[in-house]
Every structure is written in structure tokens, then in C-alpha cells.
Amino acid sequence: MAKRSKIVRQERRRATVERYAARRAELKSLIGASDTAPDVRAAARAELARQPRDASATRLRNRDVVDGRPRGHVGKAGVSRVRFREMAHRGELPGIRKASW
């Protein structure tokens, strides 16, 4: 189980990313557009740099939804590899079976 403080910090980051997502996308499109004036592009870069670091989506970490484990995340199920295996053995994941050959 992950520390409660790590899970809370992750949720706070997720809220920050959502809050700034629209403005970040707008600034990135201005920076990437070839017809943008150089002074507008520089202003957009400066504003993007002034935003909080946690506003970037790359700062988010995939965690197990049950206990917050940060490693071995299985995206299809949203849980860690350990919990995925347990749930698959109990038949709690539809469409997942243990392989045997």
C-alpha cells in the first residue's frame, strides 16, 4: 500500500492538470503554429513557463486504484500487476483467463 500522502499528492496534481489543461493546449497550439508572430510565440512560451510544474500531464503517475501502488500498472484494468493476478484468479476480470498450454 502506498503512503496516503503520495496518493493525496497525486489527486492534487490531477486536479491541477485538469484546471490548466485548456490553457496549456491553447498556448501549445500558438507555439507550434507556423503563422504565429515571433513576439506572440515568445509571450506564449513565457506564460507556459510561468504555469505550475504540476500543471503538466507528464507529472501524473499511474497508480493502482485500490491501494495506490505506483509500479507494475496494468492500464487495461487500472490496477497493479499483483492485484491484476489476484483478481484474474478469482474471476473478477471479465474476459481474462489464466493461460494454460
Side-chain angles (χ1 to χ4, degrees):
M1 175 103 182
K3 290 170 55 173
R4 186 75 190 134
S5 61
K6 296 285 188 180
I7 297 170
V8 170
R9 184 182 303 161
Q10 176 71 8
E11 292 307 314
R12 195 171 34 223
R13 276 189 186 136
R14 193 171 302 283
T16 304
V17 166
E18 286 180 29
R19 188 168 56 244
Y20 286 93
R23 184 61 183 157
R24 283 183 69 86
E26 185 180 323
L27 290 171
K28 286 185 172 256
S29 68
L30 276 175
I31 292 168
S34 60
D35 60 339
T36 306
D39 56 335
V40 175
R41 182 175 287 139
R45 279 191 186 134
E47 185 180 342
L48 193 62
R50 279 194 307 270
Q51 287 187 346
R53 285 187 178 186
D54 285 345
S56 174
T58 59
R59 304 268 295 191
L60 295 178
R61 177 94 172 150
N62 288 328
R63 289 185 174 270
D64 188 327
V65 294
V66 179
D67 66 357
R69 180 181 166 88
R71 306 273 178 131
H73 185 263
V74 179
K76 193 172 192 177
V79 293
S80 68
R81 61 181 175 78
V82 177
R83 186 150 330 269
F84 181 84
R85 184 171 185 269
E86 291 171 358
M87 291 173 73
H89 282 307
R90 288 191 302 250
E92 297 174 0
L93 298 172
I96 306 294
R97 293 189 315 163
K98 187 177 184 302
S100 61
W101 59 90

